[in-house]
Amino acid sequence: MIIRDNSIETREVFIENSLDIGGENNLFKQSLFFDLEHYVYKKPICVGVFGCCYYDEDKSSLKVTQYMIESKKEIKSILIMARSYFENMANNMGKKYIVTFSGNNDFHVIKYLFNKYKINFDFDEFFTEIDLQKVYEKEIKDNIGLKALEKKFGIVREGELISGSNLAKTFSKIVKDRDYINRMPSEKIEKILLYNEQDVVNLFHIYTNWNTLKIEEDELEENNKEVDTSNEEEEIIEKTYEEDKVKKLEVLQKENEENIKEVNNDLQYKYIIEEKAAQD
């Protein structure tokens, strides 16, 4: 089993920028930021990487814990370690919330495997879940993925992106071939762990800067309203101009008709005078 504990310094956290849940915007202090990399084939097979972090206010840093399996025999071990981590965080560290992004998948996998390997743990007894994807959809009325949301917050990821299918293939090989982990380049292992670490760390950054995005969204909406109002004004001006143009054309046409009528009358009068003179 690969076990990694890391401490990552954070910038100053402004409470007023943090996500408000039920009138409280400091729940991040009591939260775990959680993400799994897993292998599912028709049904969950294993947790490949367990990743979690929490905010250490005294040291202004994130404490990241990760476990990664190295063979099939560690499928149950990583689950036991995950349960111990959660129990310690709840009982000794005062953590009451688990922050995820589209956490249904991860919870489905770990709960299924807990049940399969008879590992007794009830998440609802210890934690309340905060799913940032659901919160975003409710507030912004739009569906979005984690990487796209990171871009909205100006978050630049370290390392390379890895697709879920590629991770699944890797853990499939680890489970089926006990020597595969020994043939894996250390750079590949590091890439997987960094990818998972970035997921949980960025959940924290998104949570604690939530209202900066909301302000930007509100400003954008207000700007759009101003543009719509400006467009309406332009349409009114253009319509008025066209109406004036039509009226002017009607006046000119009427004047032309009167001029033509007057010319015709003059010609008719001249013809009568000439005809009369000819008769005389």
Side-chain angles (χ1 to χ4, degrees):
M1 182 81 66
I2 298 172
I3 301 173
R4 174 178 289 186
D5 291 307
N6 196 13
S7 180
I8 300 175
E9 291 186 7
T10 64
R11 292 172 293 182
E12 184 178 1
V13 176
F14 297 98
I15 298 293
E16 62 272 17
N17 289 340
S18 296
L19 176 63
D20 187 311
I21 300 290
E24 297 186 64
N25 55 4
N26 63 347
L27 297 184
F28 65 90
K29 297 179 182 181
Q30 304 171 61
S31 297
L32 300 175
F33 299 85
F34 170 58
D35 183 69
L36 297 179
E37 314 305 336
H38 46 65
Y39 170 40
V40 175
Y41 180 70
K42 296 182 180 179
K43 56 186 179 181
I45 305 299
C46 72
V47 170
V49 177
F50 168 90
C52 230
C53 77
Y54 67 90
Y55 178 58
D56 185 335
E57 187 174 9
D58 292 335
K59 297 182 179 179
S60 296
S61 63
L62 293 174
K63 303 300 183 183
V64 185
T65 295
Q66 294 175 287
Y67 311 134
M68 177 174 169
I69 63 170
E70 295 181 290
S71 67
K72 182 179 182 179
K73 66 180 182 180
E74 293 178 344
I75 289 179
K76 184 175 181 179
S77 299
I78 195 172
L79 298 171
I80 294 172
M81 294 174 70
R83 179 183 64 180
S84 296
Y85 178 89
F86 286 130
E87 288 177 339
N88 179 54
M89 289 294 115
N91 296 329
N92 300 320
M93 302 296 291
K95 304 308 178 185
K96 299 178 181 179
Y97 302 90
I98 293 183
V99 179
T100 68
F101 190 91
S102 187
N104 286 343
N105 291 333
D106 287 345
F107 279 118
H108 169 71
V109 168
I110 199 167
K111 288 178 180 179
Y112 177 92
L113 293 172
F114 274 170
N115 183 62
K116 177 180 178 179
Y117 291 98
K118 297 179 173 54
I119 297 171
N120 185 31
F121 186 80
D122 184 0
F123 281 96
D124 296 334
E125 181 181 339
F126 293 93
F127 302 103
T128 298
E129 183 193 1
I130 300 173
D131 188 330
L132 295 184
Q133 186 182 52
K134 291 180 180 178
V135 176
Y136 183 89
E137 289 177 357
K138 183 178 179 180
E139 290 193 5
I140 310 299
K141 312 300 182 187
D142 190 20
N143 188 21
I144 196 169
L146 177 58
K147 309 308 179 287
L149 188 57
E150 289 173 353
K151 289 181 179 179
K152 280 183 173 286
F153 281 92
I155 295 172
V156 179
R157 271 187 165 249
E158 295 181 35
E160 300 176 21
L161 294 177
I162 310 174
S163 69
S165 60
N166 283 339
L167 284 168
K169 289 176 183 177
T170 297
F171 294 120
S172 171
K173 293 175 182 177
I174 289 174
V175 168
K176 294 174 182 178
D177 182 352
R178 64 182 181 181
D179 291 324
Y180 181 75
I181 192 72
N182 297 321
R183 299 195 303 272
M184 279 182 67
S186 59
E187 293 81 5
K188 184 173 182 178
I189 295 172
E190 176 61 30
K191 184 191 298 184
I192 292 171
L193 289 169
L194 180 58
Y195 176 82
N196 175 261
E197 181 181 80
Q198 288 289 287
D199 277 351
V200 296
V201 167
N202 289 345
L203 287 177
F204 170 81
H205 291 313
I206 290 171
Y207 192 108
T208 54
N209 289 282
W210 189 266
N211 287 330
T212 61
L213 176 67
K214 196 169 187 304
I215 290 171
E216 289 177 2
E217 294 284 352
D218 290 343
E219 288 177 348
L220 180 61
E221 184 177 350
E222 187 63 31
N223 289 337
N224 288 337
K225 286 181 181 179
E226 291 177 0
V227 170
D228 291 340
T229 303
S230 176
N231 289 338
E232 288 176 5
E233 292 175 351
E234 289 179 3
E235 288 175 2
I236 292 171
I237 293 171
E238 186 175 351
K239 184 177 179 182
T240 303
Y241 172 77
E242 291 296 330
E243 289 175 351
D244 289 343
K245 187 176 178 181
V246 169
K247 286 180 181 179
K248 288 179 180 178
L249 287 173
E250 289 176 349
V251 170
L252 289 173
Q253 185 176 1
K254 188 174 181 180
E255 290 178 352
N256 287 337
E257 289 175 354
E258 290 178 353
N259 290 335
I260 291 172
K261 186 176 180 181
E262 186 176 346
V263 169
N264 288 338
N265 288 337
D266 289 343
L267 290 173
Q268 187 175 8
Y269 176 75
K270 182 179 179 182
Y271 174 76
I272 291 171
I273 294 299
E274 290 178 350
E275 185 178 7
K276 187 177 180 182
Q279 291 174 358
D280 294 339

